[in-house]
Amino acid sequence: MVPFVPESGFYKLYMSIPGCQNTNTCISRTSAKVTWLMNGKNSIVTTIKQHNLVDDEVEVLSGYVPASSQNFSSAIYVQLASDGTVDPQAATVEVVVDSFRLERITSYTNLNGVLQLHDDLTSDLQVNRPLYEPLSAGLPTGSQVYSATHGVSNDTNPEDTLFLGGQFFDSDQGYYSIAQYRDDKVTALSSAGLWGDVRAMAFVGASLYVGGSFNGTADFATALGNVGEYNTTDQKWYPMAGGVGGVVSTAVPYAPFGPRAVAFMGDFKSIYAGEADDLLELGVEGLAMWDALAGGWTNTPFLQGQPSMLYSDTWKDGQDSVAFAAGEFTAAAALEANGAVLLTPSQNIQAIDMMGYDLQPDTQGRFMVNAGLWYAKSNGSTPALVVGGRFSTLDGGANVARLQDGKWQQLGDIGGEVLTLNNAANLLFVGGVANVSAGFTGLTVLDMDKGREYNTQRLQGPDGDSTDVRVNRVAIRADTSMVVVGGNFTAAGGMLECPYICTLDINEGQWSPLATSALIGPVTDLLFTRDSLVVAGTFKNGTQPTRYLQRYDFSINVWSDIDGADRVPGPVTVLTAASDGTETTDGFYITGVSMDDASPYFFKYDGTTVVSPDFTIGAQSTINGVLEVPRSRIPSSVLGDSKSQTLSRRSDNPVIPAGYVLAISGDLFLPSGQRASNAFFYNNEWVPFLSTVQNDGSPGYVTSVFFEIPPTNVYQRQRLSVALVIIIAIAIALGITLLIVVVGLVYIYLRNRREAAATA
């Protein structure tokens, strides 16, 4: 038989078999062998019994059949089955076929929201039936499934489980909106699932993160706000802070933020952070990021606009750290962070604070982070990140803050903009722009042990008050009790003339000048190099040439010029220590702005004279910082090194020590036409590394880059507490009194003895 197949596709073949009772042929009936030659190469064979008493139509075969053409048509062959059953009384045997019918397979009718697609394209599925089919045990009729994902059901059973989420329920099986499919059965999760619709799911580790439109578990035991965590190890539901304020449509593991980040997207404008009894509402634009390790909301990528799609390639534990976002954006960046971020050893950018507890603009809407340090009282003590600038904190602090447990906390209410931070033992020096009306006179010293200000005499300007005081830099001289302060001021304590630079003894709390200061002009930066202090600024003295660098030699207490400093074409803004590749030397890098065209310049003092490197950058650039960074700390993929260059670790630039590059920060217009906030300079080439944007989408800039380094060792005299001094004084007084009494008793004894001897 050669049927006409009008269209290629999957078909079922039915055979119509007349009943044997009416024709009295039951004894002679046997089984039929049916062969279906489907496409000229493949055929399928089956055996059909024909002992039906009444007329019947049975499904014989199913599979893919090409359309009939002049060159080929499928064919059906029927013959006696060699293994067919035959009645011993039959003289003859026969098979009977009334007709064959082909039925096109368009879809399964019992999918109920779920189908499984086989990806094994070499299997006989291509021949026998469609590559998709329903689950062995389906969901109830009318179920709508919005999300499906796979993962380990618990630690004791490593078999993969399919989790289904949507709009469905089965009260008999006890599941609502979410269920698990394993061992060909659909079963409930703990708490009977969720009360509402499940729209998205994502696995991270042993936890299933779920989003949608629901307010808690189906048994009302756990309150959830449209998102929730189901731990497959202990089989329990956990809230995600206070949830989100709207419907979640997408949930994906967000690979660029590491293996513990989950991104949620949907129609919501707020999320709720903090503890259940003290929730903090945060405004968002339909995108939220959960840190599964910290258990809290964290910073998201910066997308200026509404995202419509988010995808991250993490299927089957993929290692690709690429994510894709779609929407109407006017600006985008890898991470949204207010003022400070963490650069990991693998060169990844991470948020350092919990979302909702980050730095905020001040009361006038201004926001800037100018300085930072890892505060540590001494070597071995736990460091704490401290930043200063122009901002506020949620707990009422202003312009200086400490990071603790992922939250920025106040260190005091500094009334002016902070420009510099440094610490000597337990004393934190906070310098900046004076704002007398707000109680800030340019310098505040905080006793970190006692949590209060350390009493120091204030700095004054030319008019005798602190209105125009500005402290640009605080430097600590190692192994001494000396702190050097530089900026714009003329006196300290009202009586001591101390123009532009002054020293403070942390033991005595007294200000002192540095010999007879030759500085006439504000100090912009300070740097200690072995026995010398390098001072940068704009120093004018009558008709003499303006100087931008001076050096104070502590070994002879004399100010002197720096050889080659006359090459510096304008005010110095940044001084950075230089090394020879192994240890810090007398050399340093010099960055500033030319007086001729306001373009940036870059020099190095090599310990003998000021030298000019081969350095080209756009005239519009602003340089805020320079750091030496070992090339071994930077992946070759960032620098673009060939293998031989990476292994040699050599530099063609004599200014930069071998094995190092310079990390330069600010607002950089590179020779390639690119604009960066941080870039590496090596082998006379620029490699952009970090770009920043502001809230309005305009390019941003980096003001400071700093590392966690051991604190400068200082000499601090340990003072006894008042109570202990009183106790010691009382003890001494009692000791003296006791001594007087003993001496008196001895005297009386000796006198009486002499008198007794005289009368005898």
Side-chain angles (χ1 to χ4, degrees):
M1 176 185 174
V2 181
F4 176 75
V5 181
E7 184 178 338
S8 299
F10 286 92
Y11 289 85
K12 288 183 178 181
L13 176 65
Y14 293 91
M15 183 171 65
S16 179
I17 307 172
C20 64
Q21 188 174 24
N22 292 335
T23 59
N24 198 24
T25 57
C26 293
I27 295 178
S28 60
R29 291 285 182 95
T30 185
S31 299
K33 176 183 178 182
V34 181
T35 303
W36 190 4
L37 180 63
M38 307 176 76
N39 55 18
K41 296 181 180 180
N42 299 313
S43 62
I44 52 179
V45 180
T46 188
T47 300
I48 302 297
K49 292 182 179 182
Q50 293 205 330
H51 299 92
N52 50 296
L53 298 178
V54 297
D55 295 348
D56 192 14
E57 185 180 57
V58 297
E59 181 182 340
V60 181
L61 299 165
S62 65
Y64 180 81
V65 184
S68 299
S69 66
Q70 295 180 352
N71 299 324
F72 173 79
S73 292
S74 62
I76 302 172
Y77 301 94
V78 181
Q79 61 188 108
L80 295 172
S82 59
D83 57 351
T85 302
V86 179
D87 193 307
Q89 300 179 10
T92 61
V93 294
E94 65 179 14
V95 294
V96 181
V97 179
D98 183 49
S99 63
F100 285 98
R101 180 171 64 89
L102 288 174
E103 181 181 283
R104 178 74 183 272
I105 303 174
T106 56
S107 177
Y108 290 104
T109 58
N110 59 341
L111 295 177
N112 288 334
V114 185
L115 61 85
Q116 52 181 328
L117 179 66
H118 300 275
D119 59 358
D120 184 6
L121 300 182
T122 63
S123 72
D124 65 351
L125 292 173
Q126 297 181 90
V127 177
N128 296 329
R129 63 182 188 274
L131 295 177
Y132 63 90
E133 60 183 350
L135 299 177
S136 299
L139 297 171
T141 302
S143 297
Q144 298 182 50
V145 176
Y146 301 128
S147 181
T149 189
H150 70 91
V152 178
S153 59
N154 54 55
D155 288 345
T156 60
N157 190 340
E159 184 178 354
D160 278 354
T161 299
L162 179 66
F163 291 85
L164 305 172
Q167 187 179 40
F168 55 81
F169 73 93
D170 189 329
S171 57
D172 294 334
Q173 297 296 326
Y175 58 77
Y176 294 80
S177 302
I178 187 169
Q180 57 183 349
Y181 177 78
R182 184 177 62 189
D183 299 330
D184 296 333
K185 293 184 295 184
V186 178
T187 58
L189 276 63
S190 65
S191 298
L194 298 173
W195 194 254
D197 296 346
V198 172
R199 299 274 176 172
M201 296 186 294
F203 249 105
V204 172
S207 291
L208 176 66
Y209 291 89
V210 182
S213 177
F214 49 83
N215 57 16
T217 55
D219 63 357
F220 307 106
T222 304
L224 304 170
N226 300 316
V227 291
E229 175 191 357
Y230 181 74
N231 188 295
T232 61
T233 302
D234 60 16
Q235 307 284 302
K236 292 182 180 180
W237 288 97
Y238 294 92
M240 299 172 61
V244 305
V247 179
V248 174
S249 58
T250 302
V252 295
Y254 194 72
F257 283 7
R260 304 290 294 178
V262 188
F264 295 92
M265 192 184 73
D267 186 17
F268 53 88
K269 298 292 185 181
S270 61
I271 62 176
Y272 299 92
E275 302 299 329
D277 57 349
D278 186 24
L279 291 177
L280 178 67
E281 183 177 2
L282 307 173
V284 295
E285 290 295 332
L287 180 63
M289 198 76 61
W290 181 262
D291 187 331
L293 184 61
W297 297 110
T298 187
N299 297 65
T300 66
F302 175 70
L303 300 174
Q304 192 176 56
Q306 181 70 34
S308 59
M309 187 274 288
L310 186 65
Y311 171 77
S312 184
D313 185 12
T314 56
W315 184 78
K316 279 292 184 184
D317 299 323
Q319 299 302 312
D320 194 354
S321 61
V322 175
F324 301 93
E328 188 175 349
F329 307 132
T330 56
L335 177 68
E336 181 175 2
N338 286 343
V341 295
L342 178 66
L343 178 62
T344 68
S346 58
Q347 307 303 307
N348 291 324
I349 300 295
Q350 293 183 359
I352 58 176
D353 47 29
M354 294 174 60
M355 192 172 183
Y357 298 93
D358 48 5
L359 301 172
Q360 306 292 321
D362 65 10
T363 55
Q364 299 180 12
R366 300 172 300 180
F367 186 85
M368 175 72 69
V369 176
N370 295 319
L373 64 84
W374 292 93
Y375 167 81
K377 181 177 179 179
S378 59
N379 286 329
S381 58
T382 302
L385 179 60
V386 178
V387 296
R390 198 164 51 189
F391 53 77
S392 64
T393 60
L394 290 177
D395 59 356
N399 300 329
V400 63
R402 172 174 54 189
L403 186 69
Q404 188 168 349
D405 298 327
K407 303 176 182 179
W408 290 108
Q409 299 180 352
Q410 65 171 328
L411 274 177
D413 189 4
I414 304 298
E417 181 178 358
V418 174
L419 302 176
T420 182
L421 296 169
N422 212 333
N423 78 285
N426 62 301
L427 301 180
L428 176 66
F429 290 79
V430 182
V433 181
N435 185 358
V436 177
S437 61
F440 182 56
T441 58
L443 180 68
T444 295
V445 185
L446 300 175
D447 188 327
M448 300 292 281
D449 286 346
K450 299 178 180 179
R452 64 189 185 192
E453 289 191 22
Y454 176 80
N455 187 25
T456 57
Q457 295 175 314
R458 65 175 55 185
L459 300 170
Q460 289 92 31
D463 297 332
D465 58 24
S466 301
T467 303
D468 297 324
V469 170
R470 180 186 179 104
V471 173
N472 291 319
R473 189 68 64 199
V474 176
I476 312 298
R477 188 183 180 194
D479 301 320
T480 71
S481 59
M482 178 186 294
V483 175
V484 183
V485 178
N488 183 27
F489 51 84
T490 57
M495 300 292 293
L496 178 67
E497 290 190 5
C498 212
Y500 309 114
I501 189 168
C502 211
T503 69
L504 177 69
D505 189 305
I506 62 174
N507 291 321
E508 303 297 335
Q510 294 183 352
W511 292 101
S512 301
L514 277 178
T516 301
S517 175
L519 305 182
I520 305 177
V523 171
T524 57
D525 205 357
L526 302 170
L527 178 67
F528 278 103
T529 60
R530 295 184 179 176
D531 290 331
S532 296
L533 174 66
V534 181
V535 182
T538 302
F539 310 127
K540 299 180 180 180
N541 189 4
T543 59
Q544 298 182 12
T546 300
R547 293 174 294 179
Y548 302 109
L549 287 173
Q550 283 281 281
R551 176 168 53 196
Y552 184 82
D553 191 335
F554 284 95
S555 62
I556 55 177
N557 295 325
V558 171
W559 288 95
S560 63
D561 293 330
I562 294 177
D563 186 34
D566 54 347
R567 302 176 188 173
V568 177
V572 176
T573 55
V574 179
L575 296 173
T576 305
S579 73
D580 59 5
T582 57
E583 61 180 359
T584 302
T585 65
D586 285 332
F588 51 89
Y589 299 103
I590 308 164
T591 306
V593 180
S594 173
M595 289 293 293
D596 296 331
D597 56 6
S599 63
Y601 64 79
F602 176 72
F603 292 92
K604 181 182 180 180
Y605 179 73
D606 61 6
T608 304
T609 188
V610 174
V611 296
S612 176
D614 186 2
F615 182 88
T616 303
I617 194 171
Q620 315 99 301
S621 301
T622 300
I623 298 177
N624 294 325
V626 178
L627 285 177
E628 282 184 356
V629 180
R631 290 180 62 180
S632 60
R633 297 285 300 274
I634 305 172
S636 58
S637 59
V638 175
L639 293 180
D641 289 345
S642 66
K643 184 176 181 180
S644 59
Q645 287 176 317
T646 303
L647 294 176
S648 64
R649 303 294 184 199
R650 297 172 60 184
S651 173
D652 296 336
N653 195 321
V655 172
I656 305 172
Y660 283 77
V661 299
L662 296 183
I664 300 180
S665 302
D667 186 12
L668 311 177
F669 291 80
L670 304 183
S672 62
Q674 295 173 286
R675 190 171 181 177
S677 303
N678 180 274
F680 296 116
F681 179 75
Y682 79 110
N683 287 351
N684 300 326
E685 296 180 0
W686 288 94
V687 177
F689 175 63
L690 182 65
S691 296
T692 61
V693 294
Q694 300 185 58
N695 284 334
D696 59 1
S698 61
Y701 52 91
V702 173
T703 57
S704 179
V705 177
F706 51 93
F707 294 93
E708 181 181 340
I709 58 176
T712 302
N713 185 47
V714 297
Y715 168 69
Q716 186 178 37
R717 188 166 58 235
Q718 299 299 320
R719 300 179 183 272
L720 298 177
S721 66
V722 175
L724 187 58
V725 170
I726 293 174
I727 292 173
I728 293 174
I730 293 174
I732 293 174
L734 291 175
I736 294 174
T737 302
L738 179 62
L739 179 61
I740 293 173
V741 171
V742 171
V743 171
L745 291 174
V746 171
Y747 172 76
I748 293 173
Y749 169 76
L750 294 176
R751 186 189 63 183
N752 291 339
R753 186 175 179 181
R754 286 197 302 271
E755 291 178 351
T759 57

